[in-house]
Amino acid sequence: MRSGIFFLVAVVVAAIVFGCALAINNDYVFFAGYTVLQFIVLATAWNILGGYTGYVNFGSAAFFALGAYSSVFMHKFYPMPIPVLIVIAAVISGLVGLGMGYLTLRLRGAFFAIATLALAVVLQTLIVNWNYVGGSRGAYVVRPATVAFLGNYVHYLFLLMLGLAVIALTVARTIEHSSLGYGFATIRDDELAAEASGVPTLRLKLIATTISGALMGMAGAPFPYYIGYLQPSSAFGLEYAVNSIAMPIIGGTATWLGPLIGAIVLGSLQQYITVTISSSVNVLIVGLLLVIFVVIAPNGIVGLVQSILRRRRYERKPA
Amino acid sequence: MSANLLEVESLGKRFGGFIALDGIDLAVAAGERVGLIGPNGSGKSTLVNCLCGALGNYTGAVRFDGRNIGGLSAHQRTRLGMARSFQLPRPFASMTVADNIRVPLVYAVAARSGVHMTNEQIVTRSAEMLALVGLADKARQFPRDLTQVEMRKLELARAMAAEPKLLIADEAMAGLSHSEVEDIVALLIRLNQRGITVILIEHIMRAVMTFSQRLVVLVSGKKIADGKPDEVIRNQEVERAYLGQ
C-alpha cells in the first residue's frame, strides 16, 4: 500500500472516529479523546527515534513543552490560529531536535538517554526563569468558547489532534517503508556495519531526531488552549516522558502500529483510572504494565500477536 | 589515475602510549590479490580499520584510486569503492538475508551513481549477490538462522553488493572447517576474476598461500616483509616472528 493511500485510509478512519465522538455528544469524550490522541502523536514521534534507530530519548517532555510554550509565546506576542502555531512549534522543536542530536548522538545507550534527560532539565529551568511566558507562575491562555464552522472549541481541538495523529502515523509508516527506514534499522542493529555498507549514520540520526522532535512539538502546540492554564511543572510533566516511552514499548517498537495500539490501550486505561480511582495511580499502572511487558513480551503487543500467529502457522503445517 | 589502486604512506596509529601501527608503507595494484598476515596483535585489524575509516586520527596518508581519502568517513569510503567484511560477522539482525544485501545497494551503489534503483532492480541484484555466494535459498531467512559459514558468506555478499573496487576480507575464514575454507577461497578468487582487488587478512596459511599473489607480513605494527609468498615465508625475520628464536 502506498503512502498516499495509507493517508487517505487514515483520514477516513479519523473522520469515522470524529463522527462517532459527535454522535455520543458528550464533551468529556472529546476531552479524554484529546489526551489519548495526543499520546498517539507523542508515542509515534518517540518511536521514530527510539524504536527505529534504537536511541532512547528520555526528554520527550521537553519537546512537548517546547511546542506548548512556543504557543504561549505567540499567544502573547502575536495571536494566530492554532494550525499556524502547530507549524511554528514544529519548526522550533525540530531545530532543537537537530541541535540535541548534533550534541549528543556521539553518545550511545544509557549515556544518550541521560543527555536527553539533562536537556529537559535545562529547558525547564529556562522556562521557569523566563517571565514573558509566565515563569514559574504559569500562563493563562483563555480559549474562545466557540470557533467558526464547528462551534464547540473542544471539538475543534479534538479535530486538530486527530489531524496530527494522522500526519504522525503517515510519516512513521512512510519512513518504515522507505530506504530511510532501512537506514534507521541498520543503525539500531549495528552502526559500524551500517557505515561499512555506505549508510551515512550521523546524517540519518539527525534526520530522526529532527522529525521526532518536530512531531512532539506539534503535539504540544495546542496544549495551552486545551488546558487553559499552563505551568512549567505540567508541561514538563513526568507522565509525558514516561508515557511516550512506555506506550511504544507496550505496543511494540518495530512498526507504526505498535505506538498506536500502545497509546490507545494505555491512554484509555489512564483516562478510565483517572476518573474511577485517582489520577496519581496513573503512573503506577504505567510502571507495572511496563515491567510486565518487558518481562513477558519484550516485542510488545504487536510482537506478541505476531509470534502467536507464527506458532499457529507452524502447528498447522508440521514440517 | 595511478597504476596503484591503494597507496598507504607511512601510516601510523597509536592508542594512548601503545603504538599499534608504525610507518606502514603499502601499495596495492588494481586487480591484485594480496595476503596480509601477522601474529595476533600485530596490527592487521587496526590497519583495516584505518583504511576503511572506522578509526580516525592516524598519521601518514592513504590514497585510494588516486585520491587522498584522509578525513573521509567510513560510509564515504565505501561509496568510493572500498568494502570490507568484518572479522566477526556483523549482520543486520532484524532484517532478512535479502534485506541485508539491500542496504549497500541502496546506500552505496545507488547513492554513488545518484540513480534511483527500482524495487525490482534491487530484488534482482540482491538475488544475484546471494547466488554468487551460494545463499540464494536463504534469502528470506534471518541471520540468526544461518550457520557460521553462511554468516561469513553473507558478510562477503554484503561487502560485494556495494560494488567495490577493493575488497578487504578480515579473517573471513576463522573457525571454519577444511572444506569450508576452500569454499571461501574459491569464492574470493572468483570475485578477483571479476576485476576486484582483494586484500585477504588470514591466519590459515594454507588459504593465504593458495590465494595470494603477494604476501605482506606485519609484526608489532611494522611491515617486515612484502613479496612473493614462497619467498616471504622463507624470510628469516618472518620465521622468527612466527616460530620464535
Side-chain angles (χ1 to χ4, degrees):
Chain A
M1 189 166 51
R2 298 205 157 259
S3 297
I5 301 172
F6 178 84
F7 179 71
L8 288 182
V9 172
V11 168
V12 170
V13 172
I16 293 170
V17 169
F18 190 64
C20 290
L22 279 179
I24 297 170
N25 194 22
N26 179 342
D27 265 359
Y28 173 72
V29 171
F30 284 94
F31 261 106
Y34 176 91
T35 310
V36 174
L37 287 169
Q38 171 184 290
F39 278 126
I40 292 177
V41 180
L42 278 175
T44 305
W46 182 89
N47 201 43
I48 288 175
L49 182 64
Y52 296 170
T53 73
Y55 275 78
V56 173
N57 177 4
F58 268 97
S60 311
F63 291 98
F64 177 80
L66 208 57
Y69 270 98
S70 74
S71 286
V72 171
F73 178 84
M74 291 314 294
H75 181 78
K76 296 190 79 169
F77 183 70
Y78 187 80
M80 280 190 273
I82 300 180
V84 181
L85 295 180
I86 289 175
V87 174
I88 293 173
V91 172
I92 293 175
S93 345
L95 285 176
V96 171
L98 181 68
M100 179 193 81
Y102 206 78
L103 289 176
T104 59
L105 279 172
R106 285 157 217 281
L107 307 171
R108 293 188 190 181
F111 300 102
F112 176 78
I114 292 167
T116 57
L117 197 59
L119 170 85
V121 175
V122 169
L123 266 181
Q124 184 168 6
T125 312
L126 282 177
I127 295 288
V128 164
N129 289 291
W130 191 11
N131 209 21
Y132 188 74
V133 293
S136 56
R137 283 173 286 115
Y140 285 96
V141 174
V142 181
R143 65 161 179 257
T146 58
V147 67
F149 302 117
L150 275 174
N152 192 324
Y153 206 82
V154 176
H155 293 191
Y156 172 56
L157 288 173
F158 180 85
L159 192 62
L160 278 175
M161 202 43 90
L162 204 55
L164 285 183
V166 168
I167 291 172
L169 289 170
T170 310
V171 167
R173 189 184 171 283
T174 308
I175 289 174
E176 228 175 280
H177 290 254
S178 67
S179 45
L180 196 60
Y182 279 100
F184 285 174
T186 64
I187 292 172
R188 182 186 54 206
D189 285 351
D190 192 325
E191 267 184 58
L192 203 59
E195 274 281 328
S197 299
V199 180
T201 52
L202 183 64
R203 195 190 318 153
L204 291 199
K205 285 186 284 186
L206 290 177
I207 293 174
T209 50
T210 308
I211 295 177
S212 175
L215 285 174
M216 285 178 181
M218 288 164 91
F223 187 64
Y225 294 88
Y226 170 78
I227 199 162
Y229 166 65
L230 186 69
Q231 55 179 353
S233 60
S234 67
F236 285 91
L238 177 69
E239 58 172 304
Y240 296 111
V242 171
N243 276 327
S244 40
I245 297 173
M247 286 165 177
I249 289 179
I250 287 172
T253 54
T255 62
W256 59 273
L257 197 60
L260 174 65
I261 293 175
I264 291 175
V265 170
L266 207 57
S268 315
L269 189 66
Q270 285 176 337
Q271 288 304 314
Y272 178 74
I273 290 166
T274 306
V275 175
T276 52
I277 308 175
S278 98
S279 60
S280 48
V281 183
N282 261 340
V283 185
L284 178 74
I285 298 289
V286 177
L288 271 178
L289 278 175
L290 200 54
V291 171
I292 291 172
F293 269 88
V294 167
V295 173
I296 64 164
N299 294 323
I301 295 174
V302 172
L304 196 66
V305 172
Q306 277 173 345
S307 69
I308 290 172
L309 288 178
R310 212 173 300 141
R311 207 173 307 149
R312 280 229 186 115
R313 216 175 305 146
Y314 266 115
E315 279 164 10
R316 219 175 292 155
K317 282 192 292 187
Chain B
M1 204 179 102
S2 63
N4 286 329
L5 182 63
L6 179 74
E7 281 176 350
V8 178
E9 213 174 273
S10 59
L11 181 73
K13 172 75 191 171
R14 36 195 309 169
F15 297 103
F18 176 71
I19 298 170
L21 292 175
D22 187 8
I24 304 282
D25 290 302
L26 178 68
V28 178
E32 213 178 355
R33 293 200 301 268
V34 178
L36 176 63
I37 61 168
N40 285 327
S42 60
K44 302 183 299 292
S45 289
T46 307
L47 178 60
V48 175
N49 284 333
C50 287
L51 293 181
C52 296
L55 281 175
N57 291 329
Y58 48 78
T59 57
V62 180
R63 272 188 299 277
F64 180 70
D65 214 358
R67 178 176 168 182
N68 190 339
I69 56 170
L72 293 189
S73 62
H75 74 267
Q76 287 168 320
R77 295 179 188 210
T78 304
R79 288 179 181 183
L80 280 180
M82 199 187 254
R84 72 178 294 188
S85 70
F86 287 94
Q87 195 170 353
L88 296 170
R90 306 180 76 132
F92 302 124
S94 69
M95 300 180 191
T96 63
V97 169
D99 282 346
N100 264 269
I101 308 297
R102 175 188 285 260
V103 174
L105 288 176
V106 172
Y107 278 98
V109 179
R112 179 189 304 147
S113 59
V115 180
H116 181 76
M117 288 172 99
T118 64
N119 199 41
E120 290 80 53
Q121 280 174 316
I122 291 173
V123 171
T124 322
R125 282 294 289 153
S126 70
E128 269 172 37
M129 289 331 295
L130 290 174
L132 182 72
V133 298
L135 286 177
D137 53 336
K138 308 275 180 184
R140 299 188 58 181
Q141 294 190 9
F142 284 91
R144 59 171 175 271
D145 303 321
L146 299 183
T147 64
Q148 226 0 268
V149 63
E150 286 168 341
M151 205 93 98
R152 308 265 177 182
K153 287 177 174 173
L154 172 61
E155 194 70 28
L156 286 174
R158 193 175 63 188
M160 288 306 305
E163 292 180 8
K165 297 182 180 116
L166 171 68
L167 172 68
I168 304 176
D170 193 357
E171 298 202 27
M173 307 168 210
L176 299 187
S177 75
H178 198 99
S179 62
E180 288 167 340
V181 166
E182 278 170 8
D183 221 17
I184 302 265
V185 169
L187 173 61
L188 287 173
I189 292 181
R190 216 155 57 229
L191 297 179
N192 179 249
Q193 281 159 355
R194 295 173 135 218
I196 295 158
T197 313
V198 184
I199 299 178
L200 173 72
I201 292 149
E202 199 45 74
H203 271 305
I204 304 171
M205 284 312 288
R206 195 168 40 81
V208 178
M209 296 307 286
T210 336
F211 176 79
S212 313
Q213 297 167 327
R214 187 153 68 94
L215 199 57
V216 176
V217 187
L218 281 190
V219 173
S220 19
K222 288 194 176 71
K223 187 171 96 168
I224 61 160
D226 184 345
K228 285 208 161 59
D230 41 352
E231 285 169 17
V232 165
I233 55 162
R234 281 199 302 271
N235 183 315
Q236 292 269 306
E237 264 190 280
V238 174
E239 257 176 45
R240 212 176 305 136
Y242 268 91
L243 303 171
Q245 278 175 304

